[in-house]
Structures are given as C-alpha cells and as structure tokens.
Amino acid sequence: MDRNETNKLVKGALLLTIAGLISKILSAGYRIPLQNMTGDIGFYIYQQVYPILGIAMVFALYGFPSAISKMAVDLKAEGKLLSFTSFYIPIFIILFGINGALFLFLFFNAPLLAEWVGDENLANTYRFAAFAFLLIPFSALLRGVFQGNYHMKPTAYSQIGEQFIRVLIIITASVVVAVQGQHFYEIGHAAALASILGSATAILILALFFIKERPVMRETSKVPWNYYVRTILTLGMVAALNHMVLLVIQFADTFTLIPSLMNYGFTQIEAMEAKGVFDRGQPLIQLGTVLGSSFALALVPSLSKQKLEKAPDTFYHYIRGAMLFSFYLATGATIGLIAIFSEANVLLFQNDQGTVDLQILVVSILLCSLAITASAILQSVGYLKRTAGFIAIAFFIKWISNQLLVPWFGITGSAVATVFSLLVLCGLVLFELKRKLPGLHFFRQINIGALVKATLAMVIYLIVVEAIFSQVAVSTRIGLLLYIVFIAITGGIIFIYCLLRWRAFTARELAMLPFAHVFIRIHKGRKTNE
C-alpha cells in the first residue's frame, strides 16, 4: 500500500471513529428521556428488545462490512474487477441466506423466546424486530465495498443518519405513549420500527453514493463461492462479536434476569421494574466507555503487524500511549461517576432507586474500556478470532453468574455478575496482549503515584463542592442539571490537570494528542529522553 493509500486509510478510520462516537452518544442519550417519559417499565421493555436490534446493527455496520472490504481488497490486489455478476450478486445471495435464516428463526420462535425471557407479552415485539435482519444484506454489502475502496464517508454518513432516525422515532413514540396513555409494549414495537426505518435511511444514503461510483456490470471471472462463504461466516461473525462487548452482557441479562429475580422472590411486575432500574446503568456505562476508549481507538487503525515488524519502537510507543490514555480516562470516569452517582441518578431518572447497585455496575466502565482497547490492538495485529472467543467466554460467565447470584442477592447479584464477567474478559485480553507483545510492558508505564494523587484531588474536590452547594442545587431539576454538569466538567479538568502536573505521561506520549503543545506546557519540567 503506498503512502497516499495509507493516509487515506488512516483519515478514513478517524472519520469512522468520530461517526461512531457521535452515534454512541446519540444511542446513550435518548434512553434518558425514554425512561423519564415511560418509567422503569417502559425502559425495561425497550431494553428487552434492544440487544437483538443492537446485534443486527453491529452485523450491518461492523461484522459483514469488514469481511466484504477484506475480500474487495484481496480481489483487487489480484487484478480482478468487482462486478455485479462475480461479486455483488453472489455476496448479496450469501448475506441474504444468512440473515434470512436469522429472520426466520426469530420470527417463528418469538413466542418461545418471550417465554424464555419471562415475559410472553414480548412475542409480537420480537417477531417485529426480526424484520431488521432482512435489511442487513443491502447496507452491509454497500458499506463493505466502499470500505474496500478506502472510501469511509458513505459508512460514516449512513451511520449517523441511521442513528438520528432511530432516536427521532423512539423519542416520538415515548411522547405518544406518555401523553396518550398507550400500552407500554408499544415502546418495543417502536424500537423495532425505528431500527427498520433507520436501516432504510442508511441504505438510501449508501445508494446515493453508490450511484456515483458506476460499478462494473459484467465480468467473466469464476465466482469463488467457497471463499466468499468462508470469509463472511468466519471473519464477518468474528468481527461483529468483537464489537459486542456491552451487547452480549445485556443479551445475557435479557434472558436470565427476570426469571432469576422471580426466583429471588419478586413478582413479575416487580422484576420488570427492578430490571428497568438496573438498565439505567447502560447509557452511563456506554458513555463512560466511549470516553475511556475513543482516544485509544482513534490511534489503533494506524497500527498493523507490518508496522510492528518494521518499526517495533514506534509501534510499542503508540500502543502504550493508547492504553495509558484509555486506562487513566476510564479510571477517572469510573471513580468520578461513582462519587456523583446519587445526584446523577436523580437528575437523569427522577429518583435515586438502585444507586448502590448501579455504583457497583459503574466499575464496568474501567474494565470495558481496557478490554475494548486491548482487543482492538490484538485485532490490529491479526488475532481476531481469539478476542472473539474471550468475549464469548465473558458472555457465558455472565449468564451463569446471573443464575447463581441473582436468586440470592437480587439486582446486586447481577451487578456483581457483570463486573466479574468483564473482569475475566479484561484479564484474558490483557494476558494475551502481554503474551503476544512481550515488549509492551504496559503496567510498568502506569504512574500509580500520579494516578492516586489525581484521583484523590478529584474526589476531595467533589466532596467539598457537594458539601457546599448540593443542598442549594437540588431544589429544582434545572439547578441539579447545572450542578452535575459543573462538577463533572470541573472534576474532570482537575483530574486531567493533576495527571499532567504529576507526570503521568511523557512529553512523547502527549505529542500524540491534538493540541499537544497545551498539554506539554502544563506537563513542563519532565525530561523527554524516554
């Protein structure tokens, strides 16, 4: 790959990272008004169908496009054309076969799945959600081809457009349910409809870009069916699983939490409300994980096995920097959110139910950020299947832990099960990273003293501000909003400032960041001969 193509690829990867960040913020943000307008029961219903819709979205956005883009690059390297007869139509047939099978399974087994999750009223919602899989072949194929040409704008624009339509429909449906007193299960139907119309919007955006491409219509080369099927099934599924860390945990909760809570002694309605309260943690964990891993993920696309072999010093420098940014930011986000969670719970969800359990759950931010960053690094050097296997292990640990702990400890047991499963995942991924990249020495680079002092400074600041202003701020929700935003921003600034002044980073590491000169000036006094 020449220099121009490399630059195009890195810029495209950064564009996708920004689009993903915007998309995830939208995805996390709309759940707060959803819960406010429909209550914990409405939120529970949405969260029961969301993992299935989320899996469909990951297949369409990450899984299958990754496999298709790889095949497109490989075929072009062999001098072959991507024509309708030899590429587009065969790939579409394979994708439609896979996703059609998923549609049929979900559509006809919806009542069984609803019975399995402990709520038979969800059967129609699951049946409606199945249709989302039928649109995947269109969007995945187009995204894969564009990415294979290092043309990332269509994927980025379609992702943001799809998420915007989803958010608009779900919030509109929440208003209708709240104002007109519609049945809460309409929220599940609205979620499925939002996913379908969002996918249709993405396909429309992609199609407009595709028309400009003027693809080759016919080409006489033989269709490599075995290669297509094998790549889509293996690489496509594995790449999808690597983007499903939080989804697979929620998927385990979908099927095990309600029955386990009923074994704990709750009625079905009480169990539904309790799960709705527990699910409050998901948007906050998602936002915290985005904060903790986005800097790192923006750097990872520029890494490759070839770069490791050609310039190991530069490669290890970038990886250590990516992981340090992820670790420090995720630690600050985790501890800061735990410290202010009681007020944040009231602000976002109108009461402080489940605060202690959700504070336990917030530890997931640190574990998930580290696991996602380390997994992305392993994937960049070719260990895709292994990281997918680790995520599958975490899923089964969460599933089994829920069934063991929730009947005894209720929602607290599920929070502990989530943290434990992610701790295992984080341990496995970091161990594998150390084994495959022995020169990394990540843990040696962590400045524990600087981290402890920065954390203490932030926590002391939060405690002092809370003692002085919290009673005044909580008198109105607007006041509480201003208070939370103020202490979150200022607490974060203090944490980062202290990290810089107490030399958690080297100047060489800071040089990797935008506005590096500002950070280096704060960091002054550190020798940079490392």
mmCIF file of all heavy atoms in Angstrom, residues 6-37:
data_model
loop_
_atom_site.group_PDB
_atom_site.id
_atom_site.type_symbol
_atom_site.label_atom_id
_atom_site.label_comp_id
_atom_site.label_asym_id
_atom_site.label_seq_id
_atom_site.Cartn_x
_atom_site.Cartn_y
_atom_site.Cartn_z
ATOM 1 N N THR A 6 -2.245 4.818 2.423
ATOM 2 C CA THR A 6 -2.127 4.707 3.879
ATOM 3 C C THR A 6 -2.750 5.914 4.563
ATOM 4 O O THR A 6 -3.514 5.785 5.523
ATOM 5 C CB THR A 6 -0.644 4.580 4.281
ATOM 6 O OG1 THR A 6 -0.086 3.427 3.641
ATOM 7 C CG2 THR A 6 -0.510 4.429 5.786
ATOM 8 N N ASN A 7 -2.422 7.117 4.047
ATOM 9 C CA ASN A 7 -3.012 8.331 4.619
ATOM 10 C C ASN A 7 -4.531 8.339 4.486
ATOM 11 O O ASN A 7 -5.254 8.738 5.392
ATOM 12 C CB ASN A 7 -2.432 9.570 3.932
ATOM 13 C CG ASN A 7 -0.975 9.790 4.282
ATOM 14 O OD1 ASN A 7 -0.523 9.320 5.322
ATOM 15 N ND2 ASN A 7 -0.245 10.483 3.431
ATOM 16 N N LYS A 8 -5.012 7.881 3.338
ATOM 17 C CA LYS A 8 -6.459 7.816 3.101
ATOM 18 C C LYS A 8 -7.123 6.852 4.084
ATOM 19 O O LYS A 8 -8.202 7.124 4.626
ATOM 20 C CB LYS A 8 -6.719 7.364 1.661
ATOM 21 C CG LYS A 8 -8.161 7.529 1.198
ATOM 22 C CD LYS A 8 -8.289 7.173 -0.276
ATOM 23 C CE LYS A 8 -9.726 7.325 -0.754
ATOM 24 N NZ LYS A 8 -9.877 6.928 -2.162
ATOM 25 N N LEU A 9 -6.452 5.727 4.339
ATOM 26 C CA LEU A 9 -6.990 4.725 5.257
ATOM 27 C C LEU A 9 -7.041 5.263 6.683
ATOM 28 O O LEU A 9 -8.044 5.110 7.385
ATOM 29 C CB LEU A 9 -6.139 3.452 5.193
ATOM 30 C CG LEU A 9 -6.552 2.307 6.129
ATOM 31 C CD1 LEU A 9 -7.975 1.858 5.827
ATOM 32 C CD2 LEU A 9 -5.594 1.149 6.009
ATOM 33 N N VAL A 10 -5.957 5.905 7.127
ATOM 34 C CA VAL A 10 -5.904 6.439 8.490
ATOM 35 C C VAL A 10 -6.946 7.541 8.680
ATOM 36 O O VAL A 10 -7.657 7.578 9.682
ATOM 37 C CB VAL A 10 -4.483 6.951 8.812
ATOM 38 C CG1 VAL A 10 -4.473 7.683 10.152
ATOM 39 C CG2 VAL A 10 -3.494 5.796 8.834
ATOM 40 N N LYS A 11 -7.047 8.451 7.701
ATOM 41 C CA LYS A 11 -8.062 9.513 7.786
ATOM 42 C C LYS A 11 -9.472 8.926 7.798
ATOM 43 O O LYS A 11 -10.348 9.393 8.524
ATOM 44 C CB LYS A 11 -7.907 10.481 6.615
ATOM 45 C CG LYS A 11 -6.682 11.380 6.706
ATOM 46 C CD LYS A 11 -6.576 12.294 5.495
ATOM 47 C CE LYS A 11 -5.342 13.184 5.569
ATOM 48 N NZ LYS A 11 -5.200 14.028 4.360
ATOM 49 N N GLY A 12 -9.677 7.894 6.972
ATOM 50 C CA GLY A 12 -10.981 7.244 6.933
ATOM 51 C C GLY A 12 -11.314 6.562 8.242
ATOM 52 O O GLY A 12 -12.460 6.625 8.726
ATOM 53 N N ALA A 13 -10.316 5.914 8.835
ATOM 54 C CA ALA A 13 -10.531 5.258 10.130
ATOM 55 C C ALA A 13 -10.874 6.281 11.206
ATOM 56 O O ALA A 13 -11.736 6.040 12.068
ATOM 57 C CB ALA A 13 -9.284 4.467 10.526
ATOM 58 N N LEU A 14 -10.215 7.444 11.162
ATOM 59 C CA LEU A 14 -10.520 8.502 12.122
ATOM 60 C C LEU A 14 -11.938 9.032 11.914
ATOM 61 O O LEU A 14 -12.668 9.283 12.875
ATOM 62 C CB LEU A 14 -9.503 9.639 11.982
ATOM 63 C CG LEU A 14 -9.626 10.792 12.982
ATOM 64 C CD1 LEU A 14 -9.479 10.276 14.407
ATOM 65 C CD2 LEU A 14 -8.581 11.855 12.697
ATOM 66 N N LEU A 15 -12.352 9.166 10.649
ATOM 67 C CA LEU A 15 -13.714 9.608 10.339
ATOM 68 C C LEU A 15 -14.739 8.621 10.896
ATOM 69 O O LEU A 15 -15.752 9.025 11.485
ATOM 70 C CB LEU A 15 -13.888 9.751 8.827
ATOM 71 C CG LEU A 15 -15.279 10.185 8.334
ATOM 72 C CD1 LEU A 15 -15.626 11.577 8.854
ATOM 73 C CD2 LEU A 15 -15.336 10.154 6.804
ATOM 74 N N LEU A 16 -14.479 7.325 10.730
ATOM 75 C CA LEU A 16 -15.389 6.306 11.264
ATOM 76 C C LEU A 16 -15.424 6.355 12.786
ATOM 77 O O LEU A 16 -16.474 6.122 13.399
ATOM 78 C CB LEU A 16 -14.963 4.913 10.794
ATOM 79 C CG LEU A 16 -15.201 4.585 9.318
ATOM 80 C CD1 LEU A 16 -14.829 3.128 9.040
ATOM 81 C CD2 LEU A 16 -16.648 4.834 8.919
ATOM 82 N N THR A 17 -14.278 6.622 13.414
ATOM 83 C CA THR A 17 -14.236 6.724 14.871
ATOM 84 C C THR A 17 -15.100 7.886 15.354
ATOM 85 O O THR A 17 -15.862 7.753 16.320
ATOM 86 C CB THR A 17 -12.786 6.917 15.361
ATOM 87 O OG1 THR A 17 -11.996 5.797 14.937
ATOM 88 C CG2 THR A 17 -12.730 7.017 16.879
ATOM 89 N N ILE A 18 -14.993 9.036 14.674
ATOM 90 C CA ILE A 18 -15.805 10.203 15.042
ATOM 91 C C ILE A 18 -17.292 9.905 14.836
ATOM 92 O O ILE A 18 -18.122 10.229 15.696
ATOM 93 C CB ILE A 18 -15.375 11.433 14.217
ATOM 94 C CG1 ILE A 18 -13.945 11.838 14.591
ATOM 95 C CG2 ILE A 18 -16.338 12.604 14.429
ATOM 96 C CD1 ILE A 18 -13.349 12.881 13.674
ATOM 97 N N ALA A 19 -17.626 9.275 13.697
ATOM 98 C CA ALA A 19 -19.027 8.916 13.432
ATOM 99 C C ALA A 19 -19.543 7.941 14.487
ATOM 100 O O ALA A 19 -20.679 8.060 14.960
ATOM 101 C CB ALA A 19 -19.149 8.296 12.043
ATOM 102 N N GLY A 20 -18.694 6.986 14.865
ATOM 103 C CA GLY A 20 -19.088 6.030 15.900
ATOM 104 C C GLY A 20 -19.303 6.704 17.237
ATOM 105 O O GLY A 20 -20.231 6.354 17.983
ATOM 106 N N LEU A 21 -18.453 7.688 17.549
ATOM 107 C CA LEU A 21 -18.587 8.419 18.803
ATOM 108 C C LEU A 21 -19.901 9.199 18.830
ATOM 109 O O LEU A 21 -20.649 9.137 19.823
ATOM 110 C CB LEU A 21 -17.398 9.374 18.964
ATOM 111 C CG LEU A 21 -17.366 10.247 20.221
ATOM 112 C CD1 LEU A 21 -17.312 9.379 21.471
ATOM 113 C CD2 LEU A 21 -16.164 11.187 20.185
ATOM 114 N N ILE A 22 -20.210 9.904 17.749
ATOM 115 C CA ILE A 22 -21.475 10.649 17.664
ATOM 116 C C ILE A 22 -22.662 9.693 17.790
ATOM 117 O O ILE A 22 -23.629 9.952 18.511
ATOM 118 C CB ILE A 22 -21.548 11.432 16.340
ATOM 119 C CG1 ILE A 22 -20.482 12.529 16.307
ATOM 120 C CG2 ILE A 22 -22.940 12.051 16.144
ATOM 121 C CD1 ILE A 22 -20.324 13.201 14.960
ATOM 122 N N SER A 23 -22.571 8.579 17.083
ATOM 123 C CA SER A 23 -23.643 7.595 17.088
ATOM 124 C C SER A 23 -23.875 7.028 18.487
ATOM 125 O O SER A 23 -25.016 6.874 18.933
ATOM 126 C CB SER A 23 -23.316 6.472 16.105
ATOM 127 O OG SER A 23 -24.332 5.510 16.083
ATOM 128 N N LYS A 24 -22.783 6.735 19.204
ATOM 129 C CA LYS A 24 -22.916 6.153 20.546
ATOM 130 C C LYS A 24 -23.454 7.166 21.544
ATOM 131 O O LYS A 24 -24.211 6.801 22.454
ATOM 132 C CB LYS A 24 -21.564 5.601 21.002
ATOM 133 C CG LYS A 24 -21.178 4.318 20.285
ATOM 134 C CD LYS A 24 -19.784 3.864 20.640
ATOM 135 C CE LYS A 24 -19.411 2.598 19.864
ATOM 136 N NZ LYS A 24 -18.005 2.193 20.105
ATOM 137 N N ILE A 25 -23.070 8.420 21.377
ATOM 138 C CA ILE A 25 -23.609 9.461 22.259
ATOM 139 C C ILE A 25 -25.115 9.601 22.041
ATOM 140 O O ILE A 25 -25.889 9.706 23.001
ATOM 141 C CB ILE A 25 -22.883 10.795 22.023
ATOM 142 C CG1 ILE A 25 -21.442 10.706 22.538
ATOM 143 C CG2 ILE A 25 -23.621 11.952 22.701
ATOM 144 C CD1 ILE A 25 -20.580 11.893 22.185
ATOM 145 N N LEU A 26 -25.539 9.587 20.773
ATOM 146 C CA LEU A 26 -26.977 9.627 20.477
ATOM 147 C C LEU A 26 -27.678 8.406 21.070
ATOM 148 O O LEU A 26 -28.751 8.517 21.661
ATOM 149 C CB LEU A 26 -27.201 9.669 18.965
ATOM 150 C CG LEU A 26 -26.905 10.990 18.250
ATOM 151 C CD1 LEU A 26 -26.981 10.801 16.741
ATOM 152 C CD2 LEU A 26 -27.879 12.069 18.695
ATOM 153 N N SER A 27 -27.062 7.241 20.897
ATOM 154 C CA SER A 27 -27.661 5.991 21.374
ATOM 155 C C SER A 27 -27.826 5.987 22.888
ATOM 156 O O SER A 27 -28.835 5.515 23.412
ATOM 157 C CB SER A 27 -26.793 4.805 20.938
ATOM 158 O OG SER A 27 -27.300 3.594 21.434
ATOM 159 N N ALA A 28 -26.816 6.490 23.589
ATOM 160 C CA ALA A 28 -26.905 6.531 25.053
ATOM 161 C C ALA A 28 -27.843 7.639 25.518
ATOM 162 O O ALA A 28 -28.610 7.464 26.463
ATOM 163 C CB ALA A 28 -25.513 6.737 25.651
ATOM 164 N N GLY A 29 -27.815 8.779 24.820
ATOM 165 C CA GLY A 29 -28.558 9.941 25.261
ATOM 166 C C GLY A 29 -30.064 9.793 25.203
ATOM 167 O O GLY A 29 -30.779 10.250 26.098
ATOM 168 N N TYR A 30 -30.586 9.123 24.154
ATOM 169 C CA TYR A 30 -32.053 9.089 24.015
ATOM 170 C C TYR A 30 -32.712 8.187 25.052
ATOM 171 O O TYR A 30 -33.921 8.268 25.273
ATOM 172 C CB TYR A 30 -32.466 8.658 22.604
ATOM 173 C CG TYR A 30 -32.253 7.205 22.257
ATOM 174 C CD1 TYR A 30 -33.089 6.210 22.752
ATOM 175 C CD2 TYR A 30 -31.238 6.813 21.390
ATOM 176 C CE1 TYR A 30 -32.900 4.878 22.416
ATOM 177 C CE2 TYR A 30 -31.038 5.499 21.043
ATOM 178 C CZ TYR A 30 -31.878 4.527 21.569
ATOM 179 O OH TYR A 30 -31.680 3.219 21.245
ATOM 180 N N ARG A 31 -31.934 7.325 25.697
ATOM 181 C CA ARG A 31 -32.554 6.429 26.691
ATOM 182 C C ARG A 31 -32.986 7.173 27.944
ATOM 183 O O ARG A 31 -33.854 6.693 28.680
ATOM 184 C CB ARG A 31 -31.565 5.322 27.064
ATOM 185 C CG ARG A 31 -31.160 4.478 25.870
ATOM 186 C CD ARG A 31 -30.293 3.328 26.286
ATOM 187 N NE ARG A 31 -29.492 2.864 25.154
ATOM 188 C CZ ARG A 31 -28.785 1.764 25.159
ATOM 189 N NH1 ARG A 31 -28.776 1.010 26.220
ATOM 190 N NH2 ARG A 31 -28.092 1.405 24.100
ATOM 191 N N ILE A 32 -32.382 8.310 28.193
ATOM 192 C CA ILE A 32 -32.756 9.076 29.395
ATOM 193 C C ILE A 32 -34.160 9.669 29.251
ATOM 194 O O ILE A 32 -35.012 9.432 30.112
ATOM 195 C CB ILE A 32 -31.683 10.141 29.693
ATOM 196 C CG1 ILE A 32 -30.371 9.451 30.068
ATOM 197 C CG2 ILE A 32 -32.142 11.063 30.819
ATOM 198 C CD1 ILE A 32 -29.167 10.349 30.055
ATOM 199 N N PRO A 33 -34.474 10.412 28.162
ATOM 200 C CA PRO A 33 -35.868 10.857 28.010
ATOM 201 C C PRO A 33 -36.842 9.686 27.846
ATOM 202 O O PRO A 33 -38.002 9.786 28.268
ATOM 203 C CB PRO A 33 -35.841 11.731 26.753
ATOM 204 C CG PRO A 33 -34.572 11.400 26.046
ATOM 205 C CD PRO A 33 -33.606 10.990 27.107
ATOM 206 N N LEU A 34 -36.378 8.594 27.254
ATOM 207 C CA LEU A 34 -37.228 7.402 27.131
ATOM 208 C C LEU A 34 -37.661 6.914 28.510
ATOM 209 O O LEU A 34 -38.857 6.664 28.753
ATOM 210 C CB LEU A 34 -36.464 6.303 26.388
ATOM 211 C CG LEU A 34 -37.089 4.893 26.392
ATOM 212 C CD1 LEU A 34 -38.423 4.893 25.662
ATOM 213 C CD2 LEU A 34 -36.145 3.890 25.747
ATOM 214 N N GLN A 35 -36.711 6.799 29.438
ATOM 215 C CA GLN A 35 -37.052 6.351 30.793
ATOM 216 C C GLN A 35 -37.898 7.383 31.519
ATOM 217 O O GLN A 35 -38.841 7.037 32.231
ATOM 218 C CB GLN A 35 -35.754 6.065 31.577
ATOM 219 C CG GLN A 35 -35.982 5.427 32.949
ATOM 220 C CD GLN A 35 -36.263 6.447 34.048
ATOM 221 O OE1 GLN A 35 -36.025 7.650 33.892
ATOM 222 N NE2 GLN A 35 -36.809 5.959 35.155
ATOM 223 N N ASN A 36 -37.574 8.660 31.326
ATOM 224 C CA ASN A 36 -38.332 9.715 32.011
ATOM 225 C C ASN A 36 -39.796 9.713 31.612
ATOM 226 O O ASN A 36 -40.682 9.962 32.437
ATOM 227 C CB ASN A 36 -37.718 11.078 31.683
ATOM 228 C CG ASN A 36 -36.420 11.356 32.428
ATOM 229 O OD1 ASN A 36 -35.967 12.485 32.493
ATOM 230 N ND2 ASN A 36 -35.794 10.330 32.996
ATOM 231 N N MET A 37 -40.074 9.455 30.325
ATOM 232 C CA MET A 37 -41.452 9.530 29.835
ATOM 233 C C MET A 37 -42.237 8.236 30.016
ATOM 234 O O MET A 37 -43.451 8.268 30.166
ATOM 235 C CB MET A 37 -41.450 9.948 28.362
ATOM 236 C CG MET A 37 -41.099 11.412 28.159
ATOM 237 S SD MET A 37 -41.170 11.950 26.425
ATOM 238 C CE MET A 37 -39.631 11.313 25.790
#
